[in-house]
């Protein structure tokens, strides 16, 4: 089975992200593989282990620096990695990204494509269903478990009301959530292999794709409203006294 | 101005943010509610009562379970024939997926998780948190129809007019099924953190009560979980007293104290209740990004230096096992419960 894991590189969640001249800046904070996409790689590797003769390709659209995120996927155990990078992709929206991913997935060839739930920076969670739509493949989103049997895949989707068990024929697109299991740590051997890996970079021309024009564009970047005051510590002689005071404070907030 | 509003429901139970979307649609002009699913007449009637001018009701048997491709194709076909200017969705798992797919079908784009939305001439401008709420971006959708999903509780819920009548127009299903629903596993209890006005959450601290003696036949891990369950019982009692939901930190979920569905934070749910009470939670950045936009945050933690206090409006430096029982009792008394 040919499996593709789609990953993105993002600033670490500890990064102090700011707006600077209308651009997002994160200083010299490290860039990492999107944490949700570590689950995508983990999910892909689980399927590789479950179905004999499988291989995992990690796929990313991003700048040259995103090779580091792909190397993380290789170190976890992915067999190969491909970076799609092109100056014309600087301002794509998620539909555009999905179309480019779909073109790359077609070129690589796949039975199963595994996505993360959402990115840390954009956080939309729309790229997986949009890619599935662009490919015309089944979308099985927010899977807490994935099982491939023969030419079909069954997942348990983690939804607001509980779990929905859904089955589709391959090829299919899945996105995975945390319940599939903690991402494995890169092994020593994996890190060595990844550091030597040669990661091909594909341009739009290599994909035979035109630069997509963005429908959704950013017009402004704002800092969130800052939280006003320092915390008010409620104290008292006894727990009962503290509880009384705290309950009064909360009731006075009129939030109940 | 014509707006479609997708009403997200599971077997007739509507995700409340759908009504909030309907309320917003009415401020722009004419609002059509889309209700899909066999047997969802009750939802269609409720949509009229929450302000829809007309309901487009697709109740083909093929739509009895939510299936992405059939629902998306049905929605896109309706949009192609009715030409709405805007399609609104609540930001729920299903509706976000449909918004994403409709954006591809209709050569548009999806603006997700909006906290505001305004018309600007023929286009729409929305605001949404990005980078885990560290920034807000304003975005424009240039295509028509514009497609947007709204964050729960960011827009007012319209009043319901019981018994209001109006047109419920039956419409056909479209598209080809690519998946089959094999069943549901509802072992995990339903947790609707996204809509909760009050959330009381527990972290690793709920397992930390040395005074409790677990049954002798438990191993160390089981004993920890047993202790945590005593702690979560206190958290749950307070939540119930305040008609709220129970949340958890990742440490609590990973520790096996409570199911994943309760997790708040980066890899869990992002919540914006009016009141968030964090009990025995340190306040790691990955937890804070999930709850820092709550209106009032209360932290109960033994450690005066815990970062959660930086996000909180009120704090108690103390043992949650000492504070929670009298706090629940105080609310019961003061709220007459
Ligand atoms: C990629 C990634 C994603 C993550 N996603 C999430 C996420 O979505 N949500 C999330 O929550 N975390 C997430 N985390 C984990 C996060 O970094 C923290 O490890 C986690 O939030 C800690 O949970 P905690 O506060 O319950 O536990 P701890 O940090 O161990 O804190 C326990 C607290 O309880 C207090 N305490 C102990 N006993 C008592 C008592 N009897 N009474 C009162 N207070 C007491 C202690 O003082 C302490 O502050 C993520 C981490 C990573 C790396
Ligand atoms: N630039 C990208 N390259 C590869 N995969 C991506 C990219 N952007 C998003 N994805 C995938 O799509 C998922 C959802 O992203 P988003 O819609 O941005 O929240 C991520 O978890 C990734 O699996």
């Amino acid at each position: 089975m040919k499996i593709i894991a789609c990953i993105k590189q993002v600033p670490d969640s500890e990064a102090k992200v700011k707006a600077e001249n209308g651009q997002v800046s994160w200083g010299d904070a490290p860039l990492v593989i999107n944490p949700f996409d570590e689950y995508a790689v983990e999910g892909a590797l689980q399927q590789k282990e479950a179905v004999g003769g499988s291989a995992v390709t990690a796929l990313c659209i991003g700048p040259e620096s995103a090779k580091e995120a792909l190397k993380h996927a290789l170190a976890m155990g992915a067999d190969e990695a491909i970076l799609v990078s092109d100056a014309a992709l600087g301002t794509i929206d998620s539909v555009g990204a999905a179309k480019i991913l779909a073109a790359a997935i077609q070129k690589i060839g796949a039975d199963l494509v595994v996505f993360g739930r959402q990115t840390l920076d954009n956080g939309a969670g729309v790229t997986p269903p949009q890619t599935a739509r662009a490919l015309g493949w089944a979308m099985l989103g927010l899977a807490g478990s994935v099982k491939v049997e023969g030419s079909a895949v069954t997942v348990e989707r983690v939804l607001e009301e509980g779990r929905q068990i859904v089955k589709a024929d391959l090829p299919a697109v899945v996105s995975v959530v945390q319940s599939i299991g903690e991402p494995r740590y890169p092994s020593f051997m994996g890190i060595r292999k990844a550091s030597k890996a040669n990661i091909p970079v594909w341009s739009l021309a290599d994909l035979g794709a035109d630069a997509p024009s963005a429908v959704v564009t950013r017009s402004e970047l704002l800092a969130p409203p800052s939280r006003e005051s320092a915390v008010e510590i409620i104290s008292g002689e006894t727990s009962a006294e503290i509880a009384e005071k705290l309950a009064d404070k909360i009731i006075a907030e009129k939030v109940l | 101005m014509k707006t479609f509003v997708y009403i997200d429901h599971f077997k007739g139970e509507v995700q409340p943010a759908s009504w909030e979307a309907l309320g917003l649609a009415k401020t722009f002009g004419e609002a059509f509610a889309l209700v899909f699913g066999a047997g969802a007449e009750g939802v269609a009637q409720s949509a009229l009562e929450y302000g829809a001018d007309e309901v487009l009701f697709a109740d083909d048997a093929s739509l009895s379970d939510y299936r992405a491709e059939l629902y998306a194709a049905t929605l896109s076909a309706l949009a192609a024939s009715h030409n709405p200017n805007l399609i609104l969705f609540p930001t729920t798992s299903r509706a976000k997926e449909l918004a994403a797919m409709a954006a591809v079908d209709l050569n548009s784009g999806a603006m997700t998780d909006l906290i505001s939305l305004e018309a600007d001439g023929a286009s729409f401008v929305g605001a949404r948190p990005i980078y885990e709420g560290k920034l807000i971006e304003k975005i424009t959708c240039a295509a028509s129809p514009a497609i947007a999903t709204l964050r729960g509780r960011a827009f007012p819920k319209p009043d319901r007019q019981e018994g209001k009548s109006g047109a419920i127009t039956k419409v056909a299903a479209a598209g080809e099924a690519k998946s089959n629903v094999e069943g549901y596993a509802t072992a995990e209890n339903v947790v609707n953190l996204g809509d909760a006005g009050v959330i009381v959450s527990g972290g690793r601290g709920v397992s930390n009560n040395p005074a409790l003696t677990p049954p002798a036949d438990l191993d160390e891990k089981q004993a920890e979980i047993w202790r945590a369950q005593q702690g979560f019982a206190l958290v749950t009692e307070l939540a119930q007293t305040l008609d709220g939901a129970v949340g958890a930190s990742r440490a609590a979920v990973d520790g096996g104290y409570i199911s994943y569905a309760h997790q708040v934070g980066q890899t869990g749910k992002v919540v914006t209740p009016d009141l968030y009470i964090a009990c025995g939670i340190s306040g790691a950045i990955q937890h804070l990004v999930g709850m820092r936009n709550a209106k009032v945050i209360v932290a109960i933690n033994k450690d005066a230096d815990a970062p959660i206090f930086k996000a909180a409006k009120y704090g108690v430096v103390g043992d949650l096992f000492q504070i929670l029982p009298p706090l629940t009792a105080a609310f019961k008394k003061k709220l007459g419960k």
Side-chain angles (χ1 to χ4, degrees):
Chain A
M1 182 168 60
K2 290 189 79 172
I3 308 165
I4 295 176
C6 290
I7 66 159
K8 192 180 180 187
Q9 189 185 43
V10 297
D12 186 76
S13 82
E14 311 277 346
K16 300 245 180 301
V17 176
K18 289 189 304 247
E20 249 172 40
N21 308 322
Q23 298 289 319
V24 180
S25 109
W26 49 83
D28 51 10
L31 291 164
V32 296
I33 179 172
N34 176 34
F36 298 103
D37 298 345
E38 289 186 60
Y39 292 99
V41 177
E42 173 62 32
L45 293 172
Q46 287 176 5
Q47 293 317 306
K48 172 184 162 175
E49 284 155 1
V51 180
S54 297
V56 173
T57 304
L59 172 64
C60 175
I61 304 175
E64 191 71 19
S65 68
K67 280 186 176 171
E68 289 306 312
L70 287 166
K71 283 184 182 167
H72 185 93
L74 289 170
M76 284 175 72
D79 299 280
E80 56 164 10
I82 289 165
L83 178 68
V84 176
S85 201
D86 197 304
L89 293 175
T91 53
I92 47 172
D93 61 10
S94 64
V95 172
K99 288 184 174 158
I100 299 302
L101 285 173
I105 290 163
Q106 296 281 23
K107 183 170 159 118
I108 300 165
D111 303 293
L112 185 69
V113 183
V114 188
F115 282 84
R117 188 181 83 176
Q118 65 188 60
T119 45
L120 212 81
D121 49 358
N122 173 40
V126 293
T127 309
Q130 285 172 340
T131 307
R133 204 72 180 151
L135 287 164
W137 296 1
M139 176 69 219
L140 306 173
L142 307 175
S145 73
V146 180
K147 194 171 169 70
V148 173
E149 272 167 319
S151 62
V153 55
T154 304
V155 309
E156 276 189 30
R157 307 190 62 196
V158 181
L159 300 178
E160 281 83 355
E161 298 84 4
R163 293 180 173 227
Q164 186 193 39
I165 300 145
V166 194
K167 186 173 181 179
D169 284 337
L170 298 174
V173 173
V174 304
S175 70
V176 296
V177 298
Q178 190 188 347
S179 318
I180 66 139
E182 278 306 295
R184 63 198 66 190
Y185 288 107
S187 66
F188 180 68
M189 287 297 287
I191 294 168
R192 278 212 3 210
K193 191 190 81 187
S195 69
K196 294 198 205 114
N198 175 28
I199 298 177
V201 182
W202 290 353
S203 65
L204 286 178
D206 292 326
L207 291 174
D210 295 328
S213 65
V215 169
V216 176
T217 50
R218 180 186 293 159
S219 52
E220 209 179 332
L221 205 53
L222 310 163
S226 62
R227 284 201 94 79
E228 25 9 308
S229 50
V231 60
E232 178 178 345
I233 297 291
I234 313 292
S235 50
E237 291 295 308
T238 62
S239 298
E241 187 191 333
I242 295 172
E244 280 283 321
K245 281 194 200 166
L246 180 58
D248 285 336
K249 291 277 184 192
I250 291 171
I251 288 167
E253 290 280 349
K254 303 212 182 304
V255 287
L256 294 176
Chain B
M1 176 93 75
K2 193 194 275 186
T3 304
F4 271 10
V5 180
Y6 179 78
I7 308 297
D8 186 34
H9 72 99
F10 179 71
K11 299 194 187 300
E13 284 291 322
V14 176
Q15 289 288 333
S18 310
W19 304 139
E20 296 158 16
L22 197 47
L24 179 68
K26 285 298 294 172
T27 68
F28 294 134
E30 208 182 359
F32 286 73
L34 308 188
V35 175
F36 296 175
E41 285 79 6
V43 176
Q45 175 57 32
S46 301
L48 291 173
E49 295 177 357
Y50 278 108
D53 296 297
E54 183 174 340
V55 179
L56 303 180
F57 181 32
D59 70 342
D60 191 84
S62 66
L63 302 177
S64 52
D65 284 296
Y66 170 85
R67 284 185 288 175
E69 289 77 19
L70 283 178
Y71 271 53
T74 302
L75 196 148
S76 299
L78 286 171
S81 61
H82 285 68
N83 282 314
N85 308 80
L86 172 68
I87 311 181
L88 293 178
F89 300 80
T91 305
T92 59
S93 306
R94 284 176 294 261
K96 196 160 74 169
E97 184 170 271
L98 290 179
M101 290 184 161
V104 175
D105 292 358
L106 302 169
N107 290 313
S108 184
M111 306 192 283
T112 53
D113 209 20
L114 300 185
I115 55 175
S116 77
L117 179 63
E118 285 155 24
D120 176 18
S123 53
F124 287 88
V125 181
R128 63 190 291 267
I130 53 171
Y131 292 86
E132 306 176 276
K134 291 171 190 162
L135 290 173
I136 311 277
E137 66 171 358
K138 284 206 164 174
I139 49 176
T140 309
C141 184
S144 183
I147 294 174
T149 83
L150 308 183
R151 174 172 280 200
R153 302 175 48 76
F155 297 85
K157 185 172 169 183
D159 290 330
R160 180 177 193 154
Q161 281 176 267
E162 299 275 352
K164 177 174 169 277
S165 60
I168 298 179
T169 309
K170 290 263 179 104
V171 292
E176 185 195 335
K178 291 200 182 294
S179 61
N180 251 323
V181 175
E182 308 274 293
Y184 294 89
T186 37
E188 284 173 37
N189 39 348
V190 177
V191 206
N192 241 332
L193 291 174
D195 301 308
V198 175
I199 296 176
V200 187
S201 284
R204 200 194 308 273
V206 300
S207 66
N208 181 24
N209 185 354
L212 292 171
T213 316
D217 55 337
L218 300 184
D219 66 26
E220 208 174 302
K221 179 71 202 162
Q222 290 167 329
E224 177 190 334
I225 292 178
W226 181 87
R227 281 204 180 86
Q229 283 164 350
Q230 318 304 308
F232 263 114
L234 302 180
V235 169
T236 305
E237 211 195 335
L238 177 58
Q240 282 169 352
T241 304
L242 303 177
D243 295 324
V246 174
S249 73
R250 174 149 164 196
V253 171
D254 285 349
Y257 305 170
I258 193 162
S259 75
Y260 162 66
H262 294 269
Q263 185 181 316
V264 171
Q266 187 199 97
T267 37
K269 282 258 148 51
V270 174
V271 298
T272 47
D274 295 325
L275 174 64
Y276 189 92
I277 306 183
C279 310
I281 293 177
S282 62
I285 179 72
Q286 296 91 350
H287 189 80
L288 295 180
V289 297
M291 42 61 80
R292 65 177 161 205
N293 288 321
K295 233 180 245 162
V296 175
I297 296 171
V298 178
I300 302 173
N301 195 303
K302 272 171 119 163
D303 174 6
D305 295 325
I308 188 79
F309 287 119
K310 292 211 178 71
K313 179 152 193 195
Y314 301 109
V316 175
V317 179
D319 185 343
L320 68 95
F321 286 89
Q322 303 294 320
I323 302 295
L324 286 182
L327 187 59
T328 302
F331 277 121
K332 280 190 173 151
K333 188 180 73 194
K334 290 174 200 286
L335 302 172
K337 299 210 172 173

